[in-house]
Amino acid sequence: MSEHILMQPVSTQSERLRKLRHDVWQANLDLQRHNLVTFTWGNVSAIDRESGLVVIKPSGVAYEDLSADNMVVVDLAGHVVEGDLNPSSDTATHLVLYRTYPHIGGVVHTHSPHATSWAQAGKAIPALGTTHADYFYGSIPCTRPLTNGEIAHDYELNTGVVIVETIAEQDPMAIPGIIVNEHGPFSWGKDAHQAVHNAVVMEVVASMALQTLQINPAVQFINQALLDKHYLRKHGANAYYGQTATNKK
Amino acid sequence: MSEHILMQPVSTQSERLRKLRHDVWQANLDLQRHNLVTFTWGNVSAIDRESGLVVIKPSGVAYEDLSADNMVVVDLAGHVVEGDLNPSSDTATHLVLYRTYPHIGGVVHTHSPHATSWAQAGKAIPALGTTHADYFYGSIPCTRPLTNGEIAHDYELNTGVVIVETIAEQDPMAIPGIIVNEHGPFSWGKDAHQAVHNAVVMEVVASMALQTLQINPAVQFINQALLDKHYLRKHGANAYYGQTATNKK
Amino acid sequence: MSEHILMQPVSTQSERLRKLRHDVWQANLDLQRHNLVTFTWGNVSAIDRESGLVVIKPSGVAYEDLSADNMVVVDLAGHVVEGDLNPSSDTATHLVLYRTYPHIGGVVHTHSPHATSWAQAGKAIPALGTTHADYFYGSIPCTRPLTNGEIAHDYELNTGVVIVETIAEQDPMAIPGIIVNEHGPFSWGKDAHQAVHNAVVMEVVASMALQTLQINPAVQFINQALLDKHYLRKHGANAYYGQTATNKK
Amino acid sequence: MSEHILMQPVSTQSERLRKLRHDVWQANLDLQRHNLVTFTWGNVSAIDRESGLVVIKPSGVAYEDLSADNMVVVDLAGHVVEGDLNPSSDTATHLVLYRTYPHIGGVVHTHSPHATSWAQAGKAIPALGTTHADYFYGSIPCTRPLTNGEIAHDYELNTGVVIVETIAEQDPMAIPGIIVNEHGPFSWGKDAHQAVHNAVVMEVVASMALQTLQINPAVQFINQALLDKHYLRKHGANAYYGQTATNKK
């Protein structure tokens, strides 16, 4: 049982899921508020680690028709536990991330235009400045293309598999996002809210990285010492940005 | 009589036209809501296949002055059947599409800036990622320029003719849009609403395609297997995106 | 006396100026509504041809503080006839246009970012498509740079003089705008409303022209026959766009 | 005692700080209104020169949670004098500017995307037109990168030191902004309001400078005589833009 739980009154699974439905619903609406989505092109999920249940947006439903009640609950194997609607078609990708990385609490996928352009170009988003370094401890990698076999069978599952292959030995919480080749961005965080936050940052740094290269095609990666400084002043034991430990990741 | 009609109470022509006027009016307003138009630079039409009557926006009228009542009704030969205003100056182009392709129920023309830039450049919008593949089963073609003769006589009709010539043997419902050289985008769908939806997608993918080329000038077309996967998970008999058959095209 | 006046009851000069103050005030606000201005970086004027009096925005006043009452009235020599505030610092440029071209009824100057980027680049905005051709019968020219002498003495007057020099033998109503080198766009029309309309079009076509060149650096000017067709279907004796003669310029 | 104070009733320090808290709070909100910030990525401060006290935004607090009351007051050595929250993590940078330049009354730092792209590119924003010249009397310089030693110890202080090193013998009020290498823009002015104003201008000219170079890679700096003309018609003893001396810097 985590320290977090010890500090709070023990809540029942149904109470936790009710809160998670609300959080995931709001996080999906935040995709719109931050101009990350056209039509229904984005989805957010979050996991209740105690029960291993995941709350996710239903597939192809307009944001204005979403509610806490029509969020779908699935288990880590992908079976629908609660809800009358089909879960997001990308559910299998989200579940690979939750099964592989125990610290991930929320996942986001969008087709936000700047990050998606990097995905279509098949290029990692290079770490070029402190805006990037405040959230991502290095370049945001781009996966290899899926093979035809990976596309033909269990496509969404294999999208998750290739993400995990790309992250390899790195800490997924230090670079909380990735670009799926020819497709678009995925991001994550300790919860749904933070996963959306990181999706916004990815879109901003994707836009600025292209402009930076247009101004100076010979630009170098950010100085490693500056990357360290900015990342570590916001994250980890010696962080000093913000007001309290709760501001720190 | 189509299957669709069999499932509903038979409606009179005047009832159908009243509904179609409302739908076309709303679809024209949607062009504004989706930021596709400056001033009056866009028009939407839809057809009632039973009567062969087409409802279309009047020419040069501001969006705020439109109403269901001032939409213009023309027959497939272009004669005004109902309405005191002139129909859109592009009416003849719309009518060529309705006469040639029986599955088209709605047509849109705009000067949306990203798609229009591709038109001015005289280039097809290449299929570079899954966002494109979710709606367009291949690159969005660009017509050849019209000849001086085609411009001098029956210009708007010939715009439709060159669109049909460009589509050639392809299925217009699988790539529901086109770029007219030096001019701008046309899109279509089973109804006015879906034609507008496709116009939005064209604008988004046009913007992302340019950015993608700026990031990686050597970018390749999307892998055909991935194009198939994304198009077919949303369209056709085995689609599994969304909630019900009504979500599928 | 013009035909226009003959068709209306004769109005007094004070009635005409009251209406013009209102129109110019609204046209200045339209610059904001169309996102053409940052802070106070734009001004609109209009002329009452009968009296030769020009109504113009006061200098450096925020748009939210403007009213019909604080518009400034000057004569064609630039003397303030009514108003307690200083007229726009660009007044002398507007007056050159009114003195030189009897058909100009309204003038606009902005620093709208896309058109201004062409000005900073010292390049004419090329006519690349029908959006441009619908309003501008050819490329939108860029003036030569002013000489140091022209800058040192009567700078704003000389800005007008170099505009007139650039237009030369062309019809200013057929290409109702220009790019002043290293500075920004000016546009005009039969009245303040139409001058603003043309300022919006310039900003849109400036943005699309750059994108077009980025997609296809070898792009050619629009086919002259297509330029003719689009310009003339909206302008002149045989125009057929819109509803009535009043829709035509 | 400055002329400004002589013309007003003498106010107590607490009255002045109350007003300054309000001004700084509003100026921080203005960053949002002008679309310069994502999340909490920006901060504004202002100084009361009589007491040497600086009011600054608290660190990492959302804009909607700011109030005049939760602004933080620090002295010029960086000690918190009033307030329960931590001051902005960039406070030490602001303080270097106040200590070095007696005419600076307000300071702004943002990660506004266009100016930040120039910072990431490590390039000064060139003076290419009159929009730039109206506010900045020459190119907006870019600092050298900080050394690893400067990053490791007293990073935020050293950011200020390298800004001062870059400004060197120039007048900071004539070019009221700078680009910090690999980081982002800082701007300043006689008060918080004017510092924000200059931050907006930097973002606009940064955006236009890139577009200008894309249209014409061989573009030259603005003619010095035109730079002089525009800067001096808005600033200094012979300014004639606006309504009164209070419009002039």
Side-chain angles (χ1 to χ4, degrees):
Chain A
M1 195 176 282
S2 78
E3 192 180 55
H4 179 69
I5 295 299
L6 284 174
M7 296 188 297
Q8 297 192 358
V10 175
S11 57
T12 65
Q13 178 174 314
S14 75
E15 283 170 357
R16 293 195 316 269
L17 281 180
R18 188 163 57 235
K19 179 177 183 315
L20 210 57
R21 281 172 175 280
H22 182 272
D23 290 352
V24 171
W25 168 49
Q26 285 297 312
N28 274 288
L29 296 185
D30 282 341
L31 295 185
Q32 271 207 326
R33 289 189 198 111
H34 289 293
N35 295 312
L36 296 184
V37 289
T38 301
F39 298 127
T40 62
W41 306 350
N43 44 67
V44 185
S45 69
I47 189 168
D48 172 52
R49 282 288 174 190
E50 258 194 280
S51 62
L53 295 179
V54 171
V55 177
I56 193 163
K57 176 174 171 289
S59 180
V61 174
Y63 287 93
E64 57 267 31
D65 296 331
L66 296 181
S67 66
D69 285 344
N70 63 20
M71 296 293 112
V72 184
V73 182
V74 298
D75 64 23
L76 277 169
H79 302 113
V80 174
V81 173
E82 292 180 16
D84 300 325
L85 299 173
N86 298 334
S88 165
S89 57
D90 297 307
T91 299
T93 315
H94 291 235
L95 297 181
V96 171
L97 293 169
Y98 290 123
R99 288 196 301 260
T100 311
Y101 302 116
H103 293 98
I104 291 182
V107 173
V108 168
H109 171 51
T110 76
H111 289 231
S112 65
H114 297 297
T116 300
S117 295
W118 284 88
Q120 294 191 155
K123 299 282 187 190
I125 304 174
L128 298 177
T130 60
T131 317
H132 186 118
D134 281 337
Y135 293 90
F136 293 88
Y137 191 53
S139 295
I140 301 171
C142 180
T143 71
R144 66 167 171 80
L146 273 70
T147 65
N148 288 6
E150 287 167 338
I151 292 165
H153 303 288
D154 294 324
Y155 167 63
E156 291 84 4
L157 173 79
N158 287 325
T159 299
V161 170
V162 80
I163 290 173
V164 171
E165 174 193 317
T166 306
I167 294 174
E169 301 304 310
Q170 291 198 290
D171 174 6
M173 303 313 280
I175 302 183
I178 205 161
I179 294 294
V180 176
N181 209 303
E182 296 185 320
H183 187 165
F186 281 79
S187 62
W188 48 82
K190 67 174 183 183
D191 55 25
H193 178 74
Q194 204 161 74
V196 171
H197 199 99
N198 290 330
V200 173
V201 177
M202 280 180 78
E203 183 64 1
V204 172
V205 298
S207 166
M208 297 202 305
L210 173 53
Q211 285 188 66
T212 301
L213 287 164
Q214 290 174 326
I215 297 167
N216 182 2
V219 69
Q220 303 288 310
F221 288 118
I222 187 172
N223 176 3
Q224 182 69 37
L226 189 59
L227 178 69
D228 289 353
K229 177 69 189 178
H230 267 263
Y231 188 77
L232 297 173
R233 81 175 188 171
K234 289 192 85 162
H235 305 268
N238 297 313
Y240 58 91
Y241 179 92
Q243 299 303 329
T244 70
T246 61
N247 287 76
K248 300 165 192 171
K249 197 185 68 183
Chain B
M1 193 175 283
S2 78
E3 191 180 56
H4 179 70
I5 294 298
L6 283 174
M7 295 187 298
Q8 299 191 357
V10 176
S11 56
T12 65
Q13 179 175 315
S14 76
E15 282 169 357
R16 292 194 318 267
L17 282 180
R18 188 163 57 236
K19 180 177 183 315
L20 209 57
R21 283 171 174 279
H22 183 272
D23 291 350
V24 171
W25 167 49
Q26 285 298 312
N28 274 287
L29 297 185
D30 282 341
L31 295 184
Q32 272 207 325
R33 289 188 199 113
H34 288 293
N35 295 312
L36 296 184
V37 288
T38 301
F39 299 127
T40 60
W41 305 351
N43 44 69
V44 185
S45 70
I47 190 169
D48 173 52
R49 282 288 174 189
E50 258 194 281
S51 62
L53 295 179
V54 172
V55 177
I56 193 164
K57 177 174 171 289
S59 180
V61 174
Y63 287 92
E64 56 269 30
D65 296 331
L66 295 182
S67 66
D69 284 345
N70 63 20
M71 295 292 112
V72 185
V73 182
V74 299
D75 64 23
L76 277 170
H79 302 113
V80 174
V81 173
E82 292 180 15
D84 300 324
L85 299 173
N86 298 334
S88 166
S89 57
D90 298 307
T91 299
T93 315
H94 291 236
L95 296 181
V96 171
L97 293 168
Y98 290 123
R99 288 197 299 260
T100 311
Y101 302 116
H103 292 98
I104 291 182
V107 173
V108 168
H109 171 51
T110 76
H111 288 231
S112 65
H114 298 297
T116 301
S117 295
W118 284 89
Q120 294 192 155
K123 300 281 187 190
I125 303 174
L128 299 177
T130 59
T131 317
H132 187 118
D134 280 337
Y135 293 90
F136 292 88
Y137 191 54
S139 296
I140 301 170
C142 180
T143 70
R144 65 166 172 80
L146 273 70
T147 65
N148 289 6
E150 287 168 337
I151 292 164
H153 302 288
D154 295 325
Y155 168 63
E156 291 84 3
L157 174 78
N158 286 325
T159 299
V161 169
V162 80
I163 290 173
V164 171
E165 174 193 316
T166 306
I167 293 174
E169 300 304 312
Q170 291 199 288
D171 174 5
M173 305 312 281
I175 302 183
I178 205 162
I179 294 293
V180 176
N181 209 304
E182 296 184 322
H183 188 164
F186 282 80
S187 61
W188 47 82
K190 67 174 184 185
D191 55 26
H193 178 74
Q194 204 162 73
V196 171
H197 199 99
N198 290 331
V200 173
V201 177
M202 280 180 79
E203 183 64 2
V204 172
V205 298
S207 167
M208 297 202 306
L210 172 53
Q211 285 189 68
T212 302
L213 286 165
Q214 290 176 326
I215 297 168
N216 183 1
V219 69
Q220 303 288 311
F221 289 118
I222 186 172
N223 175 3
Q224 182 68 38
L226 189 59
L227 178 70
D228 289 353
K229 178 68 188 179
H230 267 263
Y231 188 77
L232 298 173
R233 81 176 187 171
K234 289 192 85 161
H235 305 268
N238 297 314
Y240 58 92
Y241 180 92
Q243 298 303 328
T244 69
T246 61
N247 286 76
K248 298 164 192 172
K249 196 187 70 181
Chain C
M1 191 176 280
S2 78
E3 191 181 56
H4 179 71
I5 295 298
L6 284 174
M7 297 188 297
Q8 299 191 357
V10 176
S11 56
T12 64
Q13 179 174 314
S14 76
E15 283 170 356
R16 294 195 315 269
L17 282 180
R18 189 164 56 236
K19 179 177 183 316
L20 210 56
R21 282 171 174 280
H22 182 272
D23 291 350
V24 171
W25 168 49
Q26 285 297 312
N28 274 287
L29 296 186
D30 282 341
L31 295 184
Q32 272 206 325
R33 288 189 199 112
H34 288 294
N35 295 313
L36 296 184
V37 289
T38 301
F39 299 126
T40 61
W41 306 350
N43 44 69
V44 185
S45 70
I47 190 168
D48 173 51
R49 282 286 173 189
E50 256 193 281
S51 62
L53 295 178
V54 171
V55 177
I56 192 164
K57 177 174 172 289
S59 180
V61 174
Y63 287 91
E64 56 269 30
D65 296 332
L66 295 181
S67 66
D69 284 344
N70 64 20
M71 294 293 111
V72 184
V73 182
V74 299
D75 64 22
L76 277 169
H79 302 113
V80 173
V81 173
E82 292 179 17
D84 300 325
L85 299 173
N86 298 333
S88 165
S89 57
D90 298 307
T91 299
T93 315
H94 292 235
L95 296 182
V96 171
L97 293 168
Y98 291 122
R99 289 197 300 261
T100 311
Y101 303 115
H103 293 99
I104 292 183
V107 173
V108 168
H109 171 51
T110 77
H111 289 231
S112 64
H114 298 296
T116 300
S117 295
W118 285 88
Q120 295 192 155
K123 299 280 186 191
I125 303 174
L128 299 177
T130 60
T131 317
H132 187 118
D134 280 338
Y135 293 89
F136 293 88
Y137 190 55
S139 295
I140 301 170
C142 180
T143 70
R144 66 167 171 79
L146 272 70
T147 65
N148 287 6
E150 288 167 337
I151 292 165
H153 303 288
D154 295 324
Y155 167 62
E156 291 83 4
L157 174 78
N158 286 325
T159 298
V161 169
V162 79
I163 290 173
V164 171
E165 175 193 314
T166 306
I167 293 174
E169 301 304 311
Q170 292 198 288
D171 174 6
M173 305 313 283
I175 302 183
I178 205 162
I179 295 294
V180 176
N181 209 304
E182 298 185 321
H183 188 164
F186 282 79
S187 62
W188 47 84
K190 67 175 184 184
D191 55 25
H193 178 74
Q194 203 162 73
V196 171
H197 200 99
N198 290 330
V200 173
V201 177
M202 279 180 79
E203 182 65 3
V204 172
V205 298
S207 166
M208 296 202 304
L210 172 53
Q211 286 188 67
T212 301
L213 287 165
Q214 291 175 325
I215 297 167
N216 182 2
V219 70
Q220 303 288 309
F221 289 117
I222 187 172
N223 175 4
Q224 182 69 37
L226 188 59
L227 178 69
D228 289 352
K229 176 68 187 179
H230 267 264
Y231 188 76
L232 298 173
R233 81 175 187 172
K234 290 191 84 161
H235 305 269
N238 297 313
Y240 58 91
Y241 180 90
Q243 298 304 328
T244 70
T246 62
N247 287 76
K248 299 164 191 172
K249 197 185 68 181
Chain D
M1 193 175 281
S2 78
E3 193 181 55
H4 179 70
I5 296 298
L6 284 174
M7 296 187 297
Q8 299 192 357
V10 176
S11 58
T12 65
Q13 178 175 314
S14 75
E15 283 170 357
R16 293 195 315 269
L17 281 180
R18 190 164 54 236
K19 180 178 183 314
L20 210 56
R21 282 171 174 280
H22 183 272
D23 291 351
V24 171
W25 166 49
Q26 285 297 312
N28 274 287
L29 297 185
D30 282 341
L31 294 185
Q32 272 206 325
R33 288 189 199 111
H34 289 294
N35 295 313
L36 295 184
V37 289
T38 301
F39 299 127
T40 61
W41 305 352
N43 44 69
V44 185
S45 70
I47 190 168
D48 173 51
R49 282 288 173 188
E50 258 194 279
S51 62
L53 295 178
V54 171
V55 177
I56 192 164
K57 177 176 171 290
S59 179
V61 174
Y63 287 91
E64 57 269 30
D65 296 331
L66 296 181
S67 66
D69 285 345
N70 63 21
M71 295 293 111
V72 184
V73 182
V74 299
D75 63 23
L76 277 168
H79 301 114
V80 173
V81 173
E82 292 180 15
D84 299 326
L85 299 174
N86 299 332
S88 166
S89 57
D90 298 308
T91 299
T93 315
H94 291 235
L95 296 181
V96 171
L97 293 168
Y98 290 123
R99 289 196 300 261
T100 311
Y101 302 116
H103 293 99
I104 291 183
V107 173
V108 168
H109 171 51
T110 76
H111 289 232
S112 65
H114 298 297
T116 300
S117 295
W118 284 89
Q120 295 191 156
K123 300 280 186 191
I125 304 174
L128 299 177
T130 60
T131 316
H132 187 118
D134 280 337
Y135 293 89
F136 293 87
Y137 191 53
S139 295
I140 301 170
C142 180
T143 69
R144 65 166 171 80
L146 273 70
T147 65
N148 288 5
E150 287 167 338
I151 292 165
H153 303 288
D154 295 325
Y155 168 63
E156 290 84 4
L157 174 79
N158 287 325
T159 299
V161 169
V162 80
I163 289 173
V164 171
E165 175 193 315
T166 306
I167 293 174
E169 302 303 311
Q170 292 198 288
D171 174 5
M173 304 313 281
I175 302 182
I178 205 161
I179 294 294
V180 176
N181 208 304
E182 297 184 321
H183 188 166
F186 282 78
S187 61
W188 48 82
K190 67 175 185 183
D191 55 25
H193 178 74
Q194 204 162 72
V196 171
H197 199 100
N198 290 330
V200 173
V201 177
M202 280 180 77
E203 182 65 1
V204 172
V205 298
S207 165
M208 296 201 306
L210 172 53
Q211 286 188 66
T212 302
L213 287 164
Q214 290 175 326
I215 297 167
N216 183 2
V219 70
Q220 303 289 309
F221 289 117
I222 186 173
N223 175 4
Q224 182 69 36
L226 189 59
L227 178 69
D228 290 352
K229 178 67 188 179
H230 268 263
Y231 189 76
L232 298 173
R233 80 175 189 173
K234 290 191 83 162
H235 305 269
N238 297 313
Y240 58 92
Y241 180 91
Q243 298 303 329
T244 70
T246 61
N247 287 77
K248 299 164 192 172
K249 196 186 72 186

